[in-house]
Amino acid sequence: METYKYPKSQELFQKSAKVVPSGIYGHLGPGEGCFMPIDAYPLYAEKAKGSYFWDIDGNKFIDYMCAYGPNVLGYNDPDVDNAFKEQLKKGNCISLASARLPELAELLVDTIDSADWAFFAKNGGDVTAMAALTAKAATGRSKMLMLHGGYHGVAPWMQQIDYSGIAKEDVANNLYADFGNFSQIKRIVYENKGQIAGLISTPYHHPALADNMLPPEGYWQKVRDLCTQEGIVLIVDDVRCGFRLDVHGSDHRYGFNADLLTYCKALANGYNISALVGRESLQDAAASVFYTGSYWLSAAPMAAAIACITKMREMDLAKVCLEKGKKITDGLVEVAANNGFHLKVTGEPSMWFMRTTGYEDIEDPNNMLHQAFIGECVRRGVFLANHHNLFINASLTDKDIEQTLEVADEAYRVIRKDVKNILGKGF
C-alpha cells in the first residue's frame, strides 16, 4: 500500500512559521495537536467532501477527526450549504437580528428536552462561559465545581494554574472533583455550602490523552438531586458530543435533566455558531447578563444550523452514528487482536477513544505503539489522532469502514516488525 509524502505541507509550514505564531497555532497545529510522529501528518488541507479531505499535496484521507467534531453530516452537505448560501444572498451580519434567530431557537426548544430557550454565540467556549455567568447571576454565588480533566474552552477561568498566561486569580473560584465519584462531589459541595453557583461537566468523561469513562449507574440522577437540593445550577457541556449521542440532549440519553446545556460542534455542520439552552427558570438570569459579540447574531450560520438540525432529526443521526461507530470500533479491536496487539476502546461508539495498550505480553504504558500505529494509518490515508476522541459522521460508508480496517491491518503488520525498537527509542 502506497504511503503519503507531504513536501508542499512542509514547505508552506516553514513559510508560515515566520509570520504566524507556532506556524499553525492551537489544536490543529503539529505541536499542540499532538501529531506524533510529526512526519506522518499533513498540515494543510485543500478541499473536503463527505467523509474525506484532500491535503495540498493531493493526498486523500478518510477523516475520523471530522474537524474535531463539526463535520457531522459530511463535509459540504448540500442541504446545509444551500441554506447558508440562500441566507447569505439576503443578508448575514446586519444592524438588526434576522428572523432566523427565533426560528432556530424554537427548533432547538422543540428538539432538546431540557430546553425552554436558546442563546447563540460563535464558539463552544463562548457558551460555556455564558453558562457560568448565568449560573452566577441566578444564584449570586461565585464558585464553580468542575471535573478533573474536563475541557470547557480556553477562557482563563477554564484553564489550569500552570498554563502559560494564567494567573492564580483566574482560577481562584474553581473547585475540582473526579468524574463519576459522587461521594467526592458531595463532600466538596458540603464543604462549600451556599457558595457554588454551578457544576459543569461533559455528559461522559472524554478528556484528551486518557481513557474515556461513561457515567456509573445512578451517578447523574444523584448529582441532579444534589444540585437541586443545594441550589446549584447543573450545566452539561454538550459541545463535543451533542447530537451524536441523542438529538434530544445527552442528558436525555443518560436519564436526567440538566439546567443548562451548551452546543457548538455539530450544530451547523461546520458553520460557526454555538448555543446555550436552558430551563425557563434561568431565562431571566441569562437575559440579565451582558455578553455579546458583533457576529453572534449573523443570520447565515443560523440558517445552516436550522438545516443541519432538521436533517439530523429526520435521519435519527445519533442512531446512525452509534451504529457506524460500533462497526468500526469492533472491527479495529478485531484487527488489532489478529496482529497480536491489544486495542482498548472507551467512550461512546459515535465519539470513541482508543489506545493500543501492548503487543502480546509486552505492555506499552507510554503510548509509543499507538503513536506508531496511528502514524502508519495516516500515511495510508486514514486520518486519526492518537490523543483525542475520534468522530463518526453520517456520510461514512461501509466501503470507508472496510478500507479503514484494511489500512489498520497493514499498519499493525508494519509496526509488528519493529515493536521492541519502537518501545525502546520513542519518537
Side-chain angles (χ1 to χ4, degrees):
M1 194 177 292
E2 180 185 359
T3 56
Y4 291 166
K5 306 295 182 185
Y6 313 112
K8 291 183 179 179
S9 267
Q10 294 299 328
E11 181 182 357
L12 186 57
F13 183 76
Q14 295 305 314
K15 294 180 179 179
S16 181
K18 297 177 181 178
V19 292
V20 177
S22 301
I24 303 171
Y25 49 83
H27 65 289
L28 298 185
E32 292 181 44
C34 297
F35 293 175
M36 297 178 66
I38 292 174
D39 63 3
Y41 287 83
L43 298 177
Y44 299 92
E46 180 68 23
K47 62 180 181 178
K49 181 65 179 175
S51 293
Y52 318 112
F53 74 82
W54 289 257
D55 70 1
I56 61 172
D57 285 284
N59 302 309
K60 180 183 178 181
F61 297 84
I62 303 173
D63 184 14
Y64 288 97
M65 290 311 298
C66 294
Y68 281 72
N71 175 29
V72 68
L73 297 176
Y75 288 117
N76 295 334
D77 179 82
D79 298 315
V80 177
D81 288 358
N82 287 338
F84 181 89
K85 292 172 185 175
E86 288 303 310
Q87 181 59 48
L88 203 59
K89 292 175 185 177
K90 299 175 184 178
N92 181 34
C93 186
I94 311 173
S95 296
L96 297 176
S98 78
R100 303 293 81 72
L101 171 64
E103 185 180 349
L104 176 55
E106 288 176 347
L107 180 59
L108 281 172
V109 168
D110 185 61
T111 302
I112 299 168
D113 272 17
S114 296
D116 294 313
W117 52 267
F119 170 98
F120 302 104
K122 286 298 170 196
N123 297 299
D126 295 336
V127 288
T128 52
M130 178 59 179
L133 289 170
T134 300
K136 292 175 181 180
T139 63
R141 302 171 181 176
S142 59
K143 294 184 178 181
M144 292 292 298
L145 178 52
M146 308 167 73
L147 287 305
H148 289 296
Y151 175 78
H152 306 294
V154 293
W157 72 271
M158 302 169 187
Q159 300 197 43
Q160 301 293 325
I161 186 61
D162 57 345
Y163 286 13
S164 181
I166 304 303
K168 63 181 180 180
E169 293 82 5
D170 294 326
V171 295
N173 286 318
N174 291 351
L175 303 167
Y176 302 94
D178 295 325
F179 183 91
N181 189 333
F182 176 72
S183 62
Q184 188 181 88
I185 291 171
K186 185 176 180 179
R187 175 179 57 78
I188 292 171
V189 167
Y190 286 157
E191 287 175 351
N192 296 271
K193 194 173 182 66
Q195 301 177 62
I196 300 174
L199 185 158
I200 185 168
S201 173
T202 54
Y204 74 92
H205 195 45
H206 48 67
L209 294 166
D211 294 339
N212 288 190
M213 178 183 178
L214 299 182
E217 185 70 29
Y219 167 77
W220 270 123
Q221 192 54 55
K222 288 189 286 188
V223 171
R224 170 70 275 174
D225 292 343
L226 178 64
C227 287
T228 300
Q229 174 187 312
E230 297 300 320
I232 296 168
V233 177
L234 179 54
I235 305 164
V236 168
D237 180 349
D238 225 359
V239 165
R240 194 181 296 179
C241 53
F243 300 107
R244 280 185 169 90
L245 304 189
D246 191 323
V247 295
H248 302 297
S250 294
D251 59 339
H252 181 263
R253 176 172 175 79
Y254 294 128
F256 73 105
N257 292 108
D259 295 316
L260 298 171
L261 294 102
T262 61
Y263 289 89
C264 185
K265 292 183 182 294
L267 192 58
N269 205 51
Y271 290 101
N272 54 325
I273 185 171
S274 59
L276 171 68
V277 302
R279 290 175 177 264
E280 183 179 3
S281 59
L282 292 168
Q283 187 167 350
D284 287 346
S288 75
V289 174
F290 181 72
Y291 193 59
T292 187
S294 298
Y295 302 98
W296 287 12
L297 296 183
S298 298
M302 291 186 177
I306 291 167
C308 184
I309 295 166
T310 300
K311 197 164 184 175
M312 289 191 292
R313 285 172 49 149
E314 290 173 350
M315 71 168 59
D316 194 357
L317 176 100
K319 183 174 184 289
V320 169
C321 287
L322 288 165
E323 288 177 353
K324 291 178 185 289
K326 187 72 164 57
K327 189 169 187 177
I328 187 67
T329 53
D330 285 352
L332 287 168
V333 169
E334 182 179 355
V335 165
N338 289 342
N339 284 281
F341 291 91
H342 310 292
L343 182 67
K344 184 177 183 179
V345 173
T346 55
E348 293 278 9
S350 54
M351 201 187 83
W352 80 99
F353 181 84
M354 65 181 182
R355 62 186 179 95
T356 306
T357 61
Y359 173 70
E360 294 184 341
D361 60 348
I362 304 173
E363 295 184 359
D364 179 19
N366 297 317
N367 209 37
M368 303 310 297
L369 289 175
H370 196 61
Q371 288 178 16
F373 164 66
I374 295 297
E376 295 301 332
C377 288
V378 174
R379 288 188 176 102
R380 290 162 176 78
V382 174
F383 193 81
L384 306 156
N386 63 62
H387 68 293
H388 196 279
N389 295 99
L390 301 159
F391 298 88
I392 295 293
N393 77 86
S395 71
L396 187 75
T397 66
D398 286 344
K399 184 177 179 181
D400 295 331
I401 293 173
E402 181 181 346
Q403 182 179 341
T404 299
L405 298 179
E406 290 174 358
V407 166
D409 182 62
E410 179 164 323
Y412 272 127
R413 283 190 279 115
V414 168
I415 69 168
R416 188 174 62 193
K417 300 174 183 177
D418 204 26
V419 166
K420 292 185 178 179
N421 193 35
I422 291 170
L423 292 174
K425 71 174 183 180
F427 288 102

